[in-house]
Amino acid sequence: MNNEQLSILDLITETHAGLERQGPGSTEMTVKALSFLNNSGISRVADLGCGTGEQTMVLAQTISGNITGLDFIPAFVDVFNEKAMKLDLQDRVNGVVGSMENLPFEKEEFDLIWSEGAIDAIGFEKGLTHWNGFLKMNGYASVTCPCWFTDEHPVEVERFWADAGSGLNTIQHNISAMQRAGYAPIAVFTLPEQCWTDNYFAPRAEAEKALLTRHAGNKTAEAYVKNDQYEVELYSKYKQHYGYAFYIGKKRRGPGSNEGKITSG
Ligand SMILES: C[S@@+](CC[C@H](N)C(=O)[O-])C[C@H]1O[C@@H](n2cnc3c(N)ncnc32)[C@H](O)[C@@H]1O
């Protein structure tokens, strides 16, 4: 028995800090999402829930402006800044520790807010509504979020995501939420299976093998890994019903403003 005290946050940090991505995604999908934007006027970008910044470095290769990554796990931000340094991007790509729910930025500072795999942690509509205030008018929000692809919603999947502090909605629900939050949807597309299996689950399983060796006999670590293995099983069984979608929108009105809202009556 190993009684070492480990929190879930410790385990998430230890397994994910060395991974390229901390959630499903791919360079191809980041580039595809970027192709819907007019990059010419983009000079200030925020990448929220940036993790160790794999997608941020892709953005930096297409967009010439300054990019700030934000994440609440300091170890991820350290890796992010090391990556920026290695790629000689440190003058315009910088990672900061902070909360996506209470952004430490100026109002209307950004031309683009990017976020892959993170917004569901605070709620799709809530996040987009809060972030709206930090975007210039006509600025873009480009985010991925897990969602239902079909009208069948297996209860095991529903329960898993709720227990993880998130929740799934349909793509149509999220498009309406994006409009309510003040954005005109520009494009929505789903992420292919490899974004989960090859790019996230496989490297995570390797990292978790090493984790179990380092913390042999620790019940918290074992339960943590078991839960992640269950996530892989669920995905393999029900992947036709859910997955990630990219949502790209353009700010058309301020947060809480009625301007441009469709009203009935
Ligand atoms: C699934 S990972 C995605 C990371 C990265 N964007 C990627 O696609 O590889 C979600 C990230 O959001 C961060 N995160 C979750 N809730 C947050 C919050 N309230 N404020 C800041 N970061 C948060 C986590 O620390 C984690 O790095």
Side-chain angles (χ1 to χ4, degrees):
M1 174 84 105
N2 170 351
N3 290 322
E4 180 188 8
Q5 292 297 308
L6 290 168
S7 69
I8 295 301
L9 194 60
D10 293 333
L11 293 164
I12 290 175
T13 307
E14 193 174 331
T15 10
H16 288 76
L19 300 184
E20 273 191 2
R21 287 187 166 266
Q22 289 69 46
S26 74
T27 296
E28 292 72 22
M29 293 301 111
T30 300
V31 169
K32 180 171 173 177
L34 268 170
S35 73
F36 293 100
L37 316 183
N38 174 4
N39 293 341
S40 57
I42 296 180
S43 61
R44 280 292 287 129
V45 180
D47 183 359
L48 307 180
C50 60
T52 62
E54 192 64 19
Q55 71 293 324
T56 329
M57 306 306 148
V58 176
L59 296 182
Q61 274 145 26
T62 306
I63 292 172
S64 54
N66 291 316
I67 308 182
T68 303
L70 173 139
D71 203 285
F72 68 2
I73 298 190
F76 292 175
V77 176
D78 289 344
V79 177
F80 178 106
N81 285 324
E82 282 160 23
K83 268 189 196 167
M85 192 83 86
K86 268 193 204 131
L87 294 167
D88 202 21
L89 290 167
Q90 69 280 3
D91 291 343
R92 59 184 191 90
V93 178
N94 180 40
V96 298
V97 176
S99 165
M100 299 191 295
E101 286 177 278
N102 187 13
L103 295 180
F105 301 127
E106 300 290 323
K107 293 288 170 199
E108 306 209 346
E109 182 175 343
F110 296 102
D111 303 292
L112 167 63
I113 291 184
W114 202 270
S115 182
E116 293 193 30
I119 196 168
D120 60 301
I122 61 169
F124 186 80
E125 185 166 349
K126 185 179 163 198
L128 283 177
T129 302
H130 176 53
W131 302 350
N132 177 313
F134 297 87
L135 268 180
K136 294 174 192 162
M137 195 58 74
N138 293 318
Y140 297 101
S142 180
V143 307
T144 66
C145 189
C147 51
W148 293 117
F149 292 162
T150 65
D151 290 335
E152 193 185 327
H153 302 162
V155 69
E156 290 148 276
V157 178
E158 201 140 47
R159 202 176 303 128
F160 178 86
W161 283 83
D163 287 349
S166 175
L168 305 181
N169 282 303
T170 61
I171 291 180
Q172 196 48 53
H173 175 103
N174 285 344
I175 290 173
S176 300
M178 184 169 232
Q179 289 170 320
R180 283 194 298 274
Y183 306 80
I186 289 180
V188 177
F189 61 90
T190 58
L191 268 53
E193 188 183 332
Q194 295 72 21
C195 287
W196 294 75
T197 50
D198 301 357
N199 298 355
Y200 182 50
F201 287 157
R204 185 180 73 179
E206 280 305 306
E208 289 183 345
K209 261 191 223 162
L211 180 93
L212 287 181
T213 307
R214 279 194 300 277
H215 302 289
N218 185 283
K219 294 290 166 221
T220 312
E222 285 170 5
Y224 170 79
V225 171
K226 210 166 171 196
N227 189 54
D228 277 358
Q229 288 166 344
Y230 179 57
E231 182 189 17
V232 176
E233 275 168 40
L234 277 184
Y235 183 71
S236 157
K237 193 166 165 194
Y238 294 118
K239 62 191 168 205
Q240 72 274 29
H241 298 298
Y242 72 104
Y244 271 85
F246 239 116
Y247 299 84
I248 300 138
K250 201 168 193 180
K251 174 169 166 176
R252 288 303 194 201
R253 58 178 169 81
S257 146
N258 277 324
E259 193 195 325
K261 243 188 188 170
I262 299 162
T263 49
S264 57

